[in-house]
Amino acid sequence: MTAGTLAWLVAALGGAGGASAPLILMFLSLLAVFRGRQDLRKAARPFRLRIDGFGITLHDAELAWEQIEAVALWHVPNTGEHSEETTPPKPRLTLWTAPGVTLPRKADRTWDNRIRYTLVDCEDLDQSVTEVTTALAGNAGARFETAPRAVRPPIPVTVSGPERSVPGGEQVFADGRQAGTWALVWAAAAVVFSYSFWELVHGRTVGPEPFSAFGPLGAIGCWFLTARSYRRWRKPLRLRIGPTGISMREVTEDEQHFAWAEIAAVTVGTSEATTDKRPWLVVWPLPGTRPGSNPSYLVDGHKAYALVRLDRLPGGAEAVVPVLRAYAGERYAETA
């Protein structure tokens, strides 16, 4: 690109003539040589990242774990028009250095006194985010931040899951009885409307005449509400907490499952996705898990999934929290 630009300038200036043409060409040539030298130096020392028991080694620096205060995979929120529907981008590998330690690069702009550096965008790595997460979990220990500090201080990623000896086994919180009752009510009303219209067609009136005249509309509406209530009864709002993880299903929708091995933290508190101050069950997954799903919101670069408002479940927070605490163990963070 630089060579083509110089050739075009030589042709243009050569045709124009003038005493200033050689000086301009000399300046542009020196600039091109300087930039070319920089590009050659970068090519000779390409970006390199190694995470091991010593610490983090880059192409231009190396830091022992003792020089690193914290390291995280930092998610950047979408900014497009349909940011809530589009797949979130891969995170950035960031670290906070210990006091007095710096890197030969520009630090990020932060709102606190912690010095943070962005090392690489995981989109540019040949390895997957899961591989980076595994390397950090195996070597960084408690320095690996898997959830916001406001939620829980960093802890080593060492727990594979809860004990299977939790009394009672899997606990299910669901209530489809109200929907089942409404399905029977609407079905009965639909039968009455359908019968009244049938009798009206055959010249017989059942009840007030306007009631029979509106029989078709009433029957269609009631049969629709019957089918809707039946679906809500068959697939009600349901939360399952057990040895394998947490499963959540909204009314009539598909269930989403979070295995304990991919959960960094579980909290019960207010959700930043809404102004509602009632307690929500929020799951914070480990970086690298659930890459194709959109989180409810981000806090300090960490994904958060607000699963359900607990007052919608039978027993509310008083029934759910003890079960959640028993299974989640150190993953459970008291925030409310």
Side-chain angles (χ1 to χ4, degrees):
M1 179 177 176
T2 303
T5 303
L6 286 174
W8 176 79
L9 285 172
V10 168
L13 292 173
S20 62
L23 294 177
I24 296 176
L25 287 176
M26 183 180 296
F27 172 76
L28 293 175
S29 299
L30 291 174
L31 180 62
V33 169
F34 175 74
R35 292 301 303 271
R37 183 182 178 186
Q38 285 185 325
D39 292 340
L40 288 174
R41 291 182 63 184
K42 289 182 180 179
R45 300 181 63 187
F47 179 83
R48 181 168 61 96
L49 172 68
R50 185 174 72 235
I51 303 172
D52 54 21
F54 166 77
I56 296 180
T57 304
L58 305 168
H59 63 286
D60 58 352
E62 61 179 16
L63 291 173
W65 290 119
E66 292 75 12
Q67 298 175 290
I68 299 173
E69 179 183 334
V71 61
L73 290 170
W74 188 275
H75 290 273
V76 180
N78 287 319
T79 57
E81 294 182 359
H82 305 286
S83 59
E84 295 182 357
E85 290 77 20
T86 56
T87 303
K90 290 183 178 180
R92 298 172 179 175
L93 178 61
T94 60
L95 64 80
W96 292 261
T97 56
V101 179
T102 59
L103 285 176
R105 63 185 65 198
K106 185 178 180 180
D108 297 341
R109 179 179 298 178
T110 58
W111 298 104
D112 51 25
N113 294 325
R114 302 169 67 196
I115 300 177
R116 188 185 74 196
Y117 293 92
T118 296
L119 301 185
V120 63
D121 193 327
C122 290
E123 293 279 0
D124 300 328
L125 294 177
D126 295 332
Q127 292 74 23
S128 65
V129 180
T130 302
E131 292 178 278
V132 178
T133 299
T134 301
L136 291 173
N139 296 287
R143 294 179 176 86
F144 182 25
E145 289 191 0
T146 56
R149 285 179 173 251
V151 170
R152 187 202 60 197
I155 61 173
V157 185
T158 57
V159 180
S160 59
E163 293 293 336
R164 294 182 178 271
S165 59
V166 177
E170 181 181 77
Q171 299 292 311
V172 180
F173 301 90
D175 189 3
R177 291 174 296 178
Q178 187 176 8
T181 301
W182 277 109
L184 293 176
V185 170
W186 292 123
V191 170
V192 171
F193 275 112
S194 300
Y195 176 72
S196 65
F197 177 67
W198 175 265
E199 291 295 311
L200 180 64
V201 169
H202 290 79
R204 298 182 294 271
T205 302
V206 178
E209 187 172 343
F211 177 81
S212 301
F214 284 101
L217 293 178
I220 293 174
C222 289
W223 282 122
F224 171 78
L225 293 173
T226 299
R228 180 174 178 269
S229 298
Y230 179 77
R231 288 186 61 202
R232 296 172 70 89
W233 174 65
R234 294 293 298 172
K235 296 184 70 174
L237 177 75
R238 185 179 71 183
L239 172 68
R240 296 190 297 124
I241 305 174
T244 61
I246 300 175
S247 299
M248 179 60 207
R249 182 182 68 195
E250 274 290 345
V251 181
T252 71
E253 295 183 3
D254 295 331
E255 188 174 71
Q256 54 178 331
H257 179 71
F258 294 82
W260 290 116
E262 66 178 10
I263 295 177
V266 183
T267 60
V268 172
T270 57
S271 169
E272 295 194 15
T274 177
T275 58
D276 196 325
K277 299 303 180 183
R278 285 172 287 188
W280 285 70
L281 172 60
V282 181
V283 171
W284 307 81
L286 282 172
T289 59
R290 312 184 73 83
S293 60
N294 295 317
S296 302
Y297 52 90
L298 296 177
V299 175
D300 288 342
H302 296 279
K303 290 182 178 181
Y305 290 83
L307 298 189
V308 62
R309 203 181 66 225
L310 294 185
D311 64 342
R312 299 175 61 197
L313 299 171
E318 292 77 9
V320 175
V321 169
V323 177
L324 186 64
R325 186 186 293 113
Y327 277 105
E330 64 182 8
R331 290 180 176 85
Y332 181 76
E334 298 281 356
T335 60

